[in-house]
Amino acid sequence: MWIAPERRRLPRWIVPGLVAVVGIAVGVGLLLDDRPRTAGITSAVLLGYAGHLAHRRNEPHLPLSEAFGRGHRARSHLRAAAMTGDVLTGGIVAGLIVQALREGTVGPFGWLAALAGVTYAGSVLLASRAP
């Protein structure tokens, strides 16, 4: 069955869009609770995570690095590394949301999320320069 490309675009944007909406909603809720610093950190992390998910929606088309080897082995290592990063990042984001809603300290989770974002952005930039 052939599906027009126009119809396949929307489902790829649902999860990043949902994360962005949740980020804005949690931020507004925390602002209404008079916690602007926590609202800013939480919204920034969730919007950054939405950006990460939006960038990764075309992952099958990204080039493989020679660091992972070649062929099937390279794809296996790339998928394992991506899954590990996704699970850890999701855990950090979930922990940040829980701490924010519990009125706990979000600083450590914010720093971990920033480290994950900077590492991912740096890796994308370095991988795009590879020959």
Side-chain angles (χ1 to χ4, degrees):
M1 180 170 119
W2 181 76
I3 299 175
E6 296 83 27
R7 291 188 175 185
R8 289 187 286 157
R9 290 183 192 161
L10 182 63
R12 290 183 173 190
W13 287 102
I14 289 174
V15 173
L18 182 63
V19 171
V21 168
V22 168
I24 292 168
V26 169
V28 168
L30 292 170
L31 277 174
L32 293 175
D33 196 32
D34 198 31
R35 298 185 333 195
R37 183 174 179 264
T38 303
I41 292 171
T42 304
S43 294
V45 168
L46 284 168
L47 292 174
Y49 189 53
H52 164 75
L53 292 173
H55 181 265
R56 292 273 312 269
R57 66 187 174 81
N58 290 324
E59 186 177 67
H61 304 293
L62 295 177
L64 290 176
S65 168
E66 289 295 321
F68 289 109
R70 296 175 185 236
H72 178 70
R73 183 175 217 186
R75 287 188 299 277
S76 298
H77 284 286
L78 181 64
R79 286 185 186 129
M83 181 178 272
T84 302
D86 288 346
V87 169
L88 290 175
T89 303
I92 291 169
V93 170
L96 180 117
I97 292 171
V98 168
Q99 282 296 99
L101 296 177
R102 283 184 173 175
E103 298 184 14
T105 304
V106 297
F109 289 101
W111 284 111
L112 287 171
L115 176 64
V118 167
T119 302
Y120 183 77
S123 299
V124 168
L125 289 174
L126 289 175
S128 65
R129 292 183 182 180

